[in-house]
Amino acid sequence: QVELVESGGGLVQAGDSLRLSCVTSGRDFRYRAVGWFRQAPGREREFVAGINWNADTTRYADSVKGRFTISRDHARNTVYLQMNSLTIEDTAVYYCASFPGPVLTSNNDYWGQGTQVTVTS
């Protein structure tokens, strides 16, 4: 069993930065890949960024490349999403999710409850 709890969302202006955190529990978490996803009102949930178990592989959606950075700290059981140069289009509920194994695949098994990010002009 893996539990994930997101935090760090908020209301910011365009151009600002935020860092989201995903704190996890579960003894095998360190051996799982983890991803960040987001869902804006009226839109489907989309992949934002992912990181494999030992952090040597990361992936990003084209829309966030160069602005967002995913990282993980095994000692803190936490995965981070550093978001810079935020735009209105980044407004969404952000979720972290684990993958069933050590690498990024197309399937997720456990999800957090989400944290709201709102970017104003």
Side-chain angles (χ1 to χ4, degrees), residues 27-40:
R27 63 179 182 177
D28 66 343
F29 168 73
R30 64 172 53 239
Y31 302 115
R32 290 171 174 265
V34 176
W36 284 97
F37 298 77
R38 67 186 180 186
Q39 186 167 20

Side-chain angles (χ1 to χ4, degrees), residues 51-102:
I51 187 167
N52 74 343
W53 76 280
N54 64 356
D56 68 354
T57 299
T58 57
R59 293 182 188 166
Y60 298 92
D62 288 343
S63 60
V64 306
K65 281 181 181 177
R67 300 188 299 123
F68 290 11
T69 302
I70 189 170
S71 61
R72 67 190 301 166
D73 184 340
H74 282 307
R76 291 179 168 81
N77 284 342
T78 303
V79 176
Y80 302 100
L81 185 67
Q82 178 67 43
M83 306 186 296
N84 299 329
S85 302
L86 285 162
T87 72
I88 294 175
E89 288 71 32
D90 296 317
T91 295
V93 178
Y94 284 71
Y95 302 88
C96 66
S98 64
F99 292 82

Side-chain angles (χ1 to χ4, degrees), residues 3-7 21-25 29 36 76-79 96:
E3 294 184 353
L4 305 99
V5 179
E6 304 95 333
S7 63
S21 299
C22 173
V23 179
T24 69
S25 63
F29 168 73
W36 284 97
R76 291 179 168 81
N77 284 342
T78 303
V79 176
C96 66

